[in-house]
Amino acid sequence: MGSVRPAPWRRAAVVAALMLAAFTFNTTENLPVGLLSLMADDLRVSLTAVGTLVTGYGLAVAVGSLPLAHVTRSVPRRYLMSGLLAVLALASWLSALTAVSYGLLLAARVATALAQALFWAVMGPVAVGLFPPERRGRIIGLLSVGGSLATVAGVPAGTWLGGHSGWRVPFAVLGALAVVSLVTVAVLLPSSRPQESHAAYGAAPDRRRFAVVLTTTALSVTGAFTGFTYLVAFLDEVSGFGRDAVSAVLLAFGAAALAGVTAVGPLLDRYPRATLTVPVAGQTVALTGLYAGGGSQVATVVLLMLLGASVAPTFMATQSQVLLVAPGRTETALAANSAAFNVGVAAGALLGGVLLPWTGTRGTFLVGGLLTAVALLVLSWPAAVASRTTVDAPEPSAR
């Protein structure tokens, strides 16, 4: 299979544009959380209705990922990515209109979510295909940094801007950022057929390992969100943090997540198994540790930082693994992994809500830790039969 290799500066510019797009999509997805009260008051709807703008977004991503990836599998990536970024820009600006109603805002959110579902499935192969195969993990790591910055900088900055200028202004800014990515991709990304790229297919196809990775994604994300969904209540009821301290604790969590993906990304190519197993193990320790030691504020902050440094690299590592072991087209496999992630988010929030009256917020972290421990067992189960040359060993060309 051939591969189009533009000049180095063009490749770097495209990757930077995709990082910015990942940042913009992730910020757009979670921004209503920080603007909940402002949006509810202005739109004259309940807080629950505004919350639906977030949960409905995740559901749309989970449902739309696989069908959209299959339908668009033959569309040249330059045109497809340009179209997705155009949807992001237009939907963001529609959300910023003064006269926008709740129904129109919800429609804009659904359109953005469907664009994001396909973006996450296609982004990896597009970026990886511009570089030699041995740089696969490092490119995925860079893209993950862009997405993680949304938690650390995007949502807090958007919340601050919305509080000072009105909730519509951040959406207008996000639309402008989407245009920057759109123009860069439309001008610099080659328009070759997607199947011509080496990243269109798994480097070492393995159906069994692919199933293990998807199961690990679903279980670990369900475990994380069983407790994390109710983190603010945990910090208040169990750890005794005041309302003013919660933002600082969440910032520490986000900073640790960014540090985690930054540190793990360069190691994905050399140690594909370890860079997935270690974060899942770290998440298990963090969740169960919060159950046991959440009464100590110092221990809570340390364990939450461990959780942040584990959760973000886990999904990044599963994406990298999918590019390695995908049994067919990688965009379809990545869409399946993205769907597993979003199903895990919804399932974790639902399970935590069911458990809450019986176990309290503390118990949700214990159950989340146990689910993550099961993910760790699943991840290690095929170790004896998996091919060490394709999964365990460092790739010689990555040295």
Side-chain angles (χ1 to χ4, degrees), residues 120 124-125 128 133-144 199 201-204 209-210 213 217 264-273 275-276 312-326 330 333-334 337-338 390-391 395:
W120 281 111
V128 168
E134 61 269 18
R135 298 183 65 181
R136 175 189 61 244
R138 275 167 282 186
I139 299 304
I140 292 296
L142 285 173
L143 298 177
S144 296
Y201 300 90
R209 184 67 182 171
F210 177 62
V213 172
T217 297
V264 173
L267 303 175
L268 290 171
D269 292 311
R270 294 179 66 86
Y271 306 105
R273 183 180 292 278
T275 48
L276 180 54
T314 294
F315 184 63
M316 176 182 68
T318 61
Q319 293 286 86
S320 182
Q321 284 268 307
V322 167
L323 282 172
L324 179 67
V325 302
T330 51
L334 288 168
N337 197 47
S338 179
T390 60
V391 178
E395 297 178 23

Side-chain angles (χ1 to χ4, degrees), residues 9 56 64 71 83 102 129 222 315 338 341 387:
W9 71 268
V71 168
Y102 175 81
T222 301
F315 184 63
S338 179
F341 179 91
S387 169

